[in-house]
Amino acid sequence: MKYLANPNAAGPRPSQTRTSAASGADLVRSTRRRFARALGVGFVIAAGANLAALLVPLYNMQLFNVVLTTRNTNTLFWLTAGFGLVLAVHFLLTFLGSLLYEAVADRVARTLSLPSLLTAARIAEEGATPQSGQAIRDLGELRSFVSGDAIGIPLDLVWSPFLLAALFVMHWAYGIVALVCSVVLVAIGLVNDLLSRRPLREANDETIRAFSEISVAVRHAEAVEGLGMLPALARRWRGSQEAMLEKLWRGTRIVKVMTAATKSSRLMMTGLMVCAGIVLCIDGQVSGGSMVAANMILAKMLLPVERIVGSWRSWISAAEAWRRVVALLTETHSQRGTIPLPCRNGKVVVDRLVYIAQGGERPVLRGITFEVEPGEVLGIIGPSGAGKSTLARIIVGAAQPTAGGVWLDGNNTWTWERGDFGRHVGYMPQTTAMLEGSIGDNIARMREADPADIIAAAVAAGIHETIMQLPNGYATPIGEAGFVLSGGQRQKLALARALFGKPKMLVLDEPNSALDDEGERALQSAIDGAREHGTTVLMIAHRPSLVALADKLLVLKDGMIDRFGARDAVLRALKAPSVSLVKRADVAEPARIAAT
């Protein structure tokens, strides 16, 4: 059965939503405009630098033609003084050009980094692609490329026709030799592009895939280590690495052959220009100084061609990185909102909710409909695989419904702007992941917050005293390289993070799975406190101690609602079978609750 989005379901007004592809396209266009303006300024700077460089061969020609003939040291002095001034101008312009590209690279990184990161994170959240983490690496590669030397090569290449014209002015034979040399080097560059582009692109794609596999394994390092999967994964990575290195070697070998051919050809061409100059000098058509100047101009004219062939791999990599960033920002559509929405009460409405996982055919959730009033506690129970955690993720807008939806005070939780949504909602997922930062940062959800609010959340979660016993209290760093917390401490900290800011809706997914008796009492107290504050609490519960706190119970079975209503009524209806909906270790307690 194919499920379609409910056209009659309420949703946000058009003014409250946007398509991220449209804003991404605007970012791409503005970045291109800035880059075009920067290239215009760079062209002017390159023009001045190339004109200054052109005076170098002219200086040498005057030394040969004038100073060496007249033996006038005064002329030598003034020519050398002017030459020194030209070199100073050339240095200044070259330095300004490097600063320009560094500023452009910094601006590109600042403009595109956050949108790319947010888009990539949302893609990863929706499971749309395993390569979303590549975005940051692409931006880093673009920044390195723009701030490097390769970006200015085409601007120098633009001036090659002017240098060629200068050689024709000096003598038509100089121009013909230079023209033939240019055609040969351009042909080498085209062959290099034709032969190397595909293997280099394939090697880059293979590298991305290998990085994706490694990042997934690192996120599940505990399971990998505990199940002894590391040797098998290492063999898989080695196979991917060998495939990548083979393609990279094939492309790099072509580039290196063409680079060597370009350098050797340029050396041969300078020798050819000297030969042509000697013939012309012997025939009396040019001066000896013009021969030296022509050789230097030819070397200056051919240098950008040689450099662009040598840097071809970086050009291809940067072009591919830019293509992926543009695709990420312009081809990824979202209906997330852009403006803050009111949330005064905390009423939750789930209407005809259907969810089919990406790539799946069978719905995980089917026709889920229920309401929870502000200040009520809803317990969600059911066997493993019933869809409880999926329902929790959809309620907090971490997954997009296939049809139907979830509304908090009339606002769609999926389309709600995430920063504003987070101010009204607390969420404690099954996996208690902590971010790099201090304990206070994690409780405050990485925001600037009043320390009193952070402490209040920790006290409510029953972890304040534990935090005060740590080396630096709330400033203690945690995460991969920080202080190691126990499972129970991490779960309490996740609860404090969920309670931070006194949210209107609190969603808890098995919040007591790692808690001891003391921790469970603190959890019960926190839930009671949230209820008194008017917070709507939805919790996935297995232990009877949490079920006893619920005002209502929702029983899920095979992705559908099996029972829903007041707690006591649902437990009486379930009677003995209710014990199958909780963990076997807690059989006696649910039976006792059902009997009361």
Side-chain angles (χ1 to χ4, degrees):
M1 179 178 180
K2 184 176 180 181
Y3 289 85
L4 299 175
N6 179 11
N8 299 318
R13 296 185 298 273
S15 62
Q16 295 175 344
T17 61
R18 69 172 180 181
T19 299
S20 65
S23 58
D26 292 339
L27 279 175
V28 170
R29 282 193 294 269
S30 64
T31 301
R32 284 173 174 159
R33 285 195 297 267
R34 291 193 191 101
F35 190 67
R37 289 195 295 267
L39 284 181
V41 177
F43 179 80
V44 175
I45 293 175
N50 278 277
L51 287 175
L54 183 59
L55 293 178
V56 176
L58 297 179
Y59 167 76
N60 283 274
M61 185 171 68
Q62 293 302 312
L63 291 183
F64 273 88
N65 292 343
V66 178
V67 177
L68 193 60
T69 302
T70 63
R71 301 179 183 275
N72 189 331
T73 55
N74 190 45
T75 303
L76 175 63
F77 172 79
W78 288 109
L79 283 175
T80 304
F83 178 63
L85 180 61
V86 169
L87 287 182
V89 172
H90 184 271
F91 166 79
L92 180 61
L93 291 175
T94 303
F95 178 65
L96 289 177
S98 64
L99 289 182
L100 171 68
Y101 297 126
E102 183 70 31
V104 171
D106 185 68
R107 185 63 179 270
V108 168
R110 289 176 180 271
T111 302
L112 300 182
S113 290
L114 184 57
S116 298
L117 177 61
L118 293 176
T119 304
R122 186 179 61 77
I123 291 175
E125 178 184 86
E126 298 172 16
T129 172
Q131 300 178 358
S132 57
Q134 179 67 20
I136 303 305
R137 289 192 292 271
D138 285 338
L139 288 170
E141 182 166 353
L142 284 173
R143 192 191 188 289
S144 299
F145 175 78
V146 174
S147 61
D149 296 330
I151 191 68
I153 297 175
L155 296 181
D156 291 332
L157 195 61
V158 168
W159 290 95
S160 294
F162 295 94
L163 298 176
L164 180 62
L167 289 172
F168 270 105
V169 169
M170 295 173 66
H171 196 280
W172 63 267
Y174 288 150
I176 292 297
V177 171
L179 184 60
V180 172
C181 294
S182 299
V183 171
V184 171
L185 287 188
V186 169
I188 294 175
L190 292 176
V191 171
N192 177 50
D193 179 38
L194 182 65
L195 297 179
S196 64
R197 180 180 290 269
R198 182 175 177 180
L200 288 177
R201 178 185 297 171
E202 290 176 349
N204 191 58
D205 291 342
E206 193 70 30
T207 302
I208 293 173
R209 191 181 68 82
F211 271 121
S212 177
E213 289 184 358
I214 292 173
S215 62
V216 170
V218 168
R219 288 198 300 269
H220 302 88
E222 186 175 350
V224 169
E225 184 68 22
L227 295 173
M229 299 165 61
L230 189 57
L233 285 175
R235 286 192 294 271
R236 286 172 58 91
W237 294 336
R238 184 167 54 192
S240 300
Q241 192 77 357
E242 289 175 354
M244 181 272 293
L245 291 175
E246 173 62 28
K247 294 173 182 176
L248 182 60
W249 168 242
R250 189 164 68 247
T252 305
R253 182 172 52 192
I254 294 171
V255 172
K256 288 185 179 296
V257 169
M258 292 302 170
T259 302
T262 302
K263 291 182 178 180
S264 299
S265 299
R266 195 169 72 86
L267 290 175
M268 180 189 67
M269 292 166 185
T270 56
L272 182 62
M273 181 64 79
V274 172
C275 292
I278 290 176
V279 171
L280 294 174
C281 284
I282 292 174
D283 197 39
Q285 298 185 43
V286 298
S287 64
S290 72
M291 178 183 66
V292 175
N295 195 34
M296 296 182 69
I297 292 174
L298 177 67
K300 173 65 177 174
M301 186 182 74
L302 299 181
L303 180 60
V305 180
E306 178 186 340
R307 291 176 61 201
I308 205 167
V309 172
S311 62
W312 199 245
R313 179 184 171 189
S314 63
W315 279 91
I316 292 177
S317 298
E320 290 298 313
W322 173 249
R323 179 186 61 80
R324 287 190 295 270
V325 170
V326 170
L328 178 69
L329 293 174
T330 61
E331 298 177 10
T332 305
H333 298 270
S334 174
Q335 291 299 319
R336 296 294 196 187
T338 60
I339 62 174
L341 299 174
C343 183
R344 298 183 179 88
N345 301 316
K347 180 177 181 178
V348 178
V349 176
V350 179
D351 183 26
R352 292 167 285 181
L353 179 65
V354 176
Y355 179 73
I356 303 175
Q358 186 179 14
E361 296 181 357
R362 184 174 181 273
V364 179
L365 297 173
R366 293 180 284 177
I368 305 296
T369 298
F370 64 87
E371 295 184 8
V372 186
E373 296 298 327
E376 287 187 334
V377 178
L378 173 67
I380 303 173
I381 61 177
S384 297
K388 302 185 297 297
S389 293
T390 301
L391 176 60
R393 294 183 67 244
I394 294 176
I395 288 173
V396 298
Q400 183 178 15
T402 305
V406 180
W407 284 265
L408 175 61
D409 273 0
N411 302 312
N412 192 306
T413 61
W414 168 252
T415 59
W416 205 326
E417 195 276 320
R418 305 318 293 168
D420 180 59
F421 180 76
R423 295 190 305 108
H424 307 295
V425 174
Y427 177 45
M428 182 178 174
Q430 222 172 42
T431 304
T432 54
M434 294 292 122
L435 302 177
E436 293 292 337
S438 69
I439 287 180
D441 292 335
N442 274 271
I443 293 177
R445 309 180 188 181
M446 298 298 166
R447 304 172 185 166
E448 294 291 333
D450 187 341
D453 294 335
I454 298 175
I455 295 173
V459 170
I463 196 175
H464 172 70
E465 294 182 358
T466 302
I467 293 174
M468 296 311 297
Q469 295 173 4
L470 296 179
N472 297 301
Y474 285 88
T476 302
I478 56 176
E480 295 295 331
F483 190 86
V484 179
L485 300 174
S486 68
Q489 290 172 334
R490 292 170 68 89
Q491 200 156 42
K492 287 182 180 180
L493 194 59
L495 176 62
R497 181 171 60 186
L499 293 171
F500 175 77
K502 297 181 179 179
K504 291 296 182 182
M505 179 177 72
L506 184 63
V507 180
L508 308 174
D509 190 351
E510 296 192 38
N512 57 348
S513 59
L515 297 180
D516 55 17
D517 292 340
E518 181 183 352
E520 185 142 354
R521 286 193 295 271
L523 173 63
Q524 294 172 12
S525 175
I527 294 174
D528 285 335
R531 183 190 351 232
E532 293 175 3
H533 182 69
T535 299
T536 306
V537 182
L538 299 92
M539 58 181 183
I540 296 174
H542 282 297
R543 295 183 184 176
S545 56
L546 287 189
V547 173
L549 295 175
D551 300 304
K552 294 179 179 178
L553 281 183
L554 172 69
V555 183
L556 281 181
K557 186 176 182 181
D558 295 327
M560 297 185 295
I561 295 180
D562 186 62
R563 292 282 193 281
F564 174 71
R567 179 198 63 197
D568 294 341
V570 171
L571 289 176
R572 280 195 300 268
L574 291 174
K575 295 183 179 178
S578 65
V579 299
S580 64
L581 299 174
V582 295
K583 294 182 178 178
R584 290 189 176 275
D586 302 317
V587 165
E589 185 64 16
R592 184 186 64 79
I593 295 175
T596 60

